[in-house]
Amino acid sequence: MTGERRALIIANGEYDNPGLSALRSPAADAEALAEVLSDRNISEFDVQVVRDETAHVIASRVEDLFADSAPDDVLLVHFSCHGLKSESGELFFAARNTRPERLASSAVPADFVQRCMRMSRSRSIVLLLDCCYGGAFSQGVAVRASGEANVLDAFPGGGFGGRGRAVITASNSIEYAFEGDHLADDHARPSVFTSALVEGLRTGDADRDEDGWVALSELYDYLFDSVRERNPNQTPSRDIEMQGELYLARSRRRRIKPSPVPADLRAASEDPNMFTRLGAVTELQRRLTSENLSVAIGAHEVLTTMAQTDIQHIAEAADLARREARVRTEPDVVRFGEVVRGTAPVARIRLEGPPIARACRFASSHSWLRVTETGDGAELSLDLAELGAFDGRITVTGPTGEVEVRVEGQVVQEPEPVPEPRPVHTPAPTPEPSRNPDPPVLPMPEPAVPALPEPGPAVPARPKRDSFAVAAGLLAFAAAVYLVVIGFQFSSSVEDFFEDGGWTALPLVVFAIGAGIAMFLPKTRRMAGPGTLCGLALLTVMPSGPVVLVLADGCLFAAAVCALVSVRSDRSFRLGLGKPRGALAVAALVSGTCGAVGLVVEAIELVGYSSSRADEGAVYLVVSVTLLIGTLLGVSLRPAAFGVAFLGGVAGGGIVMVCMLFYAMPSSSSVTGAGWGIALAMVLALAVVTGLAARKVNG
């Protein structure tokens, strides 16, 4: 599939109106689902999360997703909120500002979502509804839900013009009562539906046929069985209209088909001569360690048959050979020991043995015990809030057997800091009068001990900063400081500073300081800071300008490298490329292209003015190509927030380079500078477009 895979997760658990009870699960559901959908090893969706927003914001994001789509795109929308049915039977999705008595103006109509789906060009649309549904009600009147919510009726099939769409609901008939404006039943409990969805995709258990892919039909069957097992009163429903299968995720549960052993080896394993059969065992044991898993499984099957049917001597040799391929883990018991509540300890299980023994999958016995498969085993993490001992199991299953790994430990409260005792000063004892006529001996004064300050309340430790993010910010600041110092070092006055072209470095100083600050702020050091630094470094590290700029350019380049290392250490960050989408992306491409054309025009004018200016013309060409490449990267990079920040850095670097090139232009009437003017206007336009795109990304 060549199209993009985009997901929109809408989670509303907090409501301004007291008539709608708060839901605990949407926030956690959104985080877990976003993590598994954006995992490059599982689904590779470009995920947007809208959490606790108003109805008009949610409607805008839904419309944008479906409107900006291509036929080959796969679109997935997940709602986790209250679902409300009006008196006329219409279905609405509750938002933060929803008023139960004014659903039409304060909630998101299901009919609006249906219209957006019909207008979309995408041929693969999946809508997942994990909502609590209520019946019709009136303000101030206790009205109970009198019938099923009939959620699927709000999304009738047909009218999609051959395009495929699927609607899967957590339940089609969950009912609970309104008493006045308040819900009578408290549905603030973790979502069974979304938990099963995340678990099925992350573990690969939803891959029922074990072909290495999770199809939509397989996912629904898994959800149906899992939800019914955990809550018999809840029945997921579906309405799917698609031609062929839609594969949503990859799976490691690929069934290994045994490869038949060669005919001569098969004959040797059944030969009447026992020594010939012993020789066959040796050859089968060698094939059992093959990198080709099909070959290894075929050998294992023959060895199993010989261990069960041959004479004792041969059977023991065959059993010993196949036992080398049994499933083995290190360790066999994971002991976390004492775990402080609120922390997230991690342990690892390593698989041992030949390749066939390591082709395993992992299953957890409890929801609080999370398993993430790695290349050579699995990583275990805990999500426990209750104090006390815990005991769980990890089942490791492979083609050659199954083992259980025990997980144990105890959750304890974080110990409170014990204040140091203050020293107590005791007066020295007064000596009794002596009967001897010797003069009294005065006691030596004790050295004064300064009193310790009163212990104050414990101050929580600040979160540890990423050393690479800190290094990136410091390097950006270093580049800015260096430019200011060098600029005034070679100028005797402020007037000389501007006359000698020192002003051309001022934009770079401003952009470098801004990028450095972004690397220190918690909200921007993950996306905006690294993206801006990378875009700025791309345009400014160029073979142009005075030699004194080399150190500043080197600092910016090193800062960009440190910023990339910082974001790559974040497991939830997946950097990739996608097709440019939307009017702003087109505007950015037009601005960058026109800016590059302006630089090319100026290069031609310089070369025409004097052949000695060919080197400067070459610099113009290099900058134009780099500007064009940077613009294309900015509109294509995913996540979109990183791409917009990168585009901002490209625009800033473009402004810097255009200013420097202007200072080097000859002051001659035959050089009009028209191309330079076009380039400056376009990089400024690119900066404006980037600002609009950033505003859109941030909601």
Side-chain angles (χ1 to χ4, degrees):
M1 183 173 295
T2 58
E4 289 188 353
R5 300 166 70 86
R6 293 189 287 161
L8 178 64
I9 300 175
I10 300 168
N12 281 320
E14 300 293 334
Y15 301 93
D16 297 337
N17 192 290
L20 298 173
S21 64
L23 299 174
R24 290 193 301 266
S25 63
D29 291 345
E31 182 179 350
L33 186 58
E35 180 181 351
V36 72
L37 288 179
S38 60
D39 192 330
R40 186 170 286 184
N41 297 319
I42 299 176
S43 297
E44 281 190 327
F45 274 90
D46 184 5
V47 181
Q48 294 185 45
V49 178
V50 180
R51 184 181 300 168
D52 295 328
E53 286 288 357
T54 58
H56 79 278
V57 172
I58 296 173
S60 175
R61 293 294 182 88
V62 170
E63 186 173 16
D64 287 345
L65 176 73
F66 288 116
D68 299 336
S69 62
D72 290 337
D73 289 350
V74 177
L75 306 181
L76 185 147
V77 180
H78 179 275
F79 275 92
S80 179
C81 59
H82 281 301
L84 304 175
K85 190 172 64 172
S86 68
E87 293 180 343
S88 59
E90 297 173 296
L91 179 64
F92 293 85
F93 300 111
R96 179 170 57 83
N97 65 323
T98 294
R99 298 163 57 195
E101 72 279 9
R102 296 290 187 269
L103 291 179
S105 60
S106 62
V108 180
D111 183 62
F112 169 77
V113 179
Q114 171 78 346
R115 291 198 305 271
C116 291
M117 293 169 61
R118 290 183 185 275
M119 295 298 293
S120 174
R121 298 173 60 207
S122 171
R123 295 190 294 264
S124 303
I125 299 175
V126 179
L127 180 63
L128 303 174
L129 304 178
D130 188 3
C131 304
C132 299
Y133 302 104
F137 61 93
S138 297
Q139 182 179 7
V141 179
V143 179
R144 297 188 63 85
S146 57
E148 294 187 351
N150 295 323
V151 185
L152 294 179
D153 291 350
F155 297 92
F160 280 80
R163 296 186 296 274
R165 78 29 154 183
V167 182
I168 299 179
T169 70
S171 175
N172 202 35
S173 58
I174 295 180
E175 303 171 3
Y176 54 91
F178 277 97
E179 294 179 354
D181 285 342
H182 297 268
L183 300 180
D185 188 15
D186 181 11
H187 280 254
R189 58 175 180 264
S191 166
V192 175
F193 178 83
T194 302
S195 297
L197 172 64
V198 172
E199 182 179 346
L201 294 177
R202 185 176 61 238
T203 63
D205 290 345
D207 182 11
R208 293 297 184 90
D209 59 4
E210 297 185 349
D211 63 347
W213 294 93
V214 178
L216 182 62
S217 58
E218 290 179 306
L219 180 61
Y220 172 76
D221 292 339
Y222 174 82
L223 291 173
F224 184 92
D225 295 340
S226 298
V227 171
R228 293 284 295 173
E229 179 181 353
R230 301 177 191 182
N231 183 8
N233 297 321
Q234 184 175 343
T235 304
S237 303
R238 68 176 174 183
D239 186 2
I240 300 177
E241 294 182 359
M242 286 192 178
Q243 296 179 357
E245 281 287 9
L246 174 61
Y247 297 99
L248 295 178
R250 300 184 187 90
S251 165
R252 293 186 62 184
R253 294 188 60 178
R254 184 179 295 275
R255 182 186 295 114
I256 304 172
K257 297 180 179 180
S259 176
V261 300
D264 56 345
L265 183 56
R266 169 71 71 175
S269 68
E270 300 171 352
D271 194 273
N273 190 322
M274 64 173 292
F275 295 104
T276 303
R277 298 201 302 276
L278 277 176
V281 169
T282 302
E283 176 60 21
L284 289 169
Q285 184 177 4
R286 187 190 65 80
R287 293 174 66 88
L288 194 61
T289 61
S290 172
E291 295 285 344
N292 189 324
L293 299 184
S294 297
V295 170
I297 284 292
H300 187 270
E301 289 186 351
V302 177
L303 285 171
T304 300
T305 301
M306 296 179 71
Q308 295 173 350
T309 60
D310 214 320
I311 62 175
Q312 181 178 359
H313 184 62
I314 304 298
E316 289 177 352
D319 185 62
L320 183 63
R322 68 170 185 164
R323 284 175 59 187
E324 292 186 4
R326 71 185 187 279
V327 177
R328 303 192 300 276
T329 62
E330 174 60 34
D332 53 0
V333 178
V334 177
R335 295 183 174 89
F336 279 95
E338 290 189 349
V339 178
V340 177
R341 182 166 63 177
T343 61
V346 174
R348 289 174 175 81
I349 298 176
R350 188 175 67 256
L351 294 170
E352 297 185 338
I356 190 61
R358 303 194 302 270
C360 300
R361 60 179 184 269
F362 299 79
S364 170
S365 61
H366 297 82
S367 59
W368 50 261
L369 181 56
R370 296 185 57 182
V371 186
T372 303
E373 296 184 8
T374 60
D376 60 346
E379 186 177 89
L380 312 183
S381 58
L382 304 178
D383 184 14
L384 286 169
E386 297 182 1
L387 298 176
F390 58 86
D391 189 356
R393 299 287 188 278
I394 299 295
T395 303
V396 185
T397 307
T400 59
E402 178 180 291
V403 296
E404 279 194 350
V405 178
R406 184 177 176 182
V407 180
E408 59 184 29
Q410 185 173 9
V411 180
V412 298
Q413 184 68 40
E414 182 177 4
E416 297 182 359
V418 180
E420 296 183 8
R422 297 183 61 188
V424 179
H425 297 280
T426 57
T430 304
E432 296 183 2
S434 175
R435 296 181 181 179
N436 298 328
D438 296 335
V441 179
L442 297 178
M444 295 294 293
E446 295 182 1
V449 179
L452 296 177
E454 291 284 348
V459 179
R462 295 183 178 180
K464 184 179 180 181
R465 291 184 180 273
D466 183 356
S467 58
F468 284 100
V470 173
L474 293 177
L475 286 169
F477 288 148
V481 172
Y482 172 79
L483 287 173
V484 173
V485 172
I486 289 297
F488 284 99
Q489 189 73 22
F490 288 92
S491 301
S492 57
S493 64
V494 176
E495 291 79 5
D496 291 341
F497 174 76
F498 283 95
E499 289 181 2
D500 296 339
W503 64 271
T504 60
L506 290 180
L508 184 57
V509 172
V510 174
F511 294 133
I513 292 176
I517 293 174
M519 290 305 301
F520 283 97
L521 297 179
K523 292 184 178 180
T524 55
R525 68 179 174 218
R526 183 172 178 268
M527 291 283 187
T532 304
L533 269 177
C534 291
L536 190 62
L538 178 67
L539 261 294
T540 54
V541 184
M542 300 291 297
S544 64
V547 178
V548 294
L549 292 180
V550 172
L551 182 58
D553 295 341
C555 287
L556 284 177
F557 181 77
V561 172
C562 290
L564 281 178
V565 174
S566 173
V567 298
R568 289 294 294 173
S569 63
D570 185 352
R571 294 188 176 183
S572 62
F573 185 92
R574 297 290 185 272
L575 192 61
L577 296 175
K579 292 182 179 179
R581 293 280 183 247
L584 291 176
V586 174
L589 285 173
V590 171
S591 300
T593 303
C594 292
V597 171
L599 292 173
V600 172
V601 169
E602 194 60 41
I604 296 173
E605 189 176 21
L606 279 176
V607 175
Y609 166 73
S610 173
S611 59
S612 62
R613 295 276 182 171
D615 292 342
E616 294 181 28
V619 173
Y620 273 88
L621 294 178
V622 172
V623 174
S624 67
V625 172
T626 308
L627 177 63
L628 187 60
I629 293 175
T631 305
L632 183 60
L633 277 176
V635 299
S636 303
L637 282 171
R638 300 293 183 271
F642 186 91
V644 170
F646 182 88
L647 197 60
V650 170
I655 293 173
V656 172
M657 294 306 302
V658 170
C659 290
M660 291 185 177
L661 293 174
F662 171 78
Y663 177 74
M665 286 177 58
S667 56
S668 172
S669 59
S670 59
V671 179
T672 63
W676 176 87
I678 295 173
L680 179 61
M682 289 299 100
V683 291
L684 291 174
L686 182 61
V688 173
V689 172
T690 303
L692 296 175
R695 184 177 179 182
K696 179 180 178 181
V697 168
N698 294 327

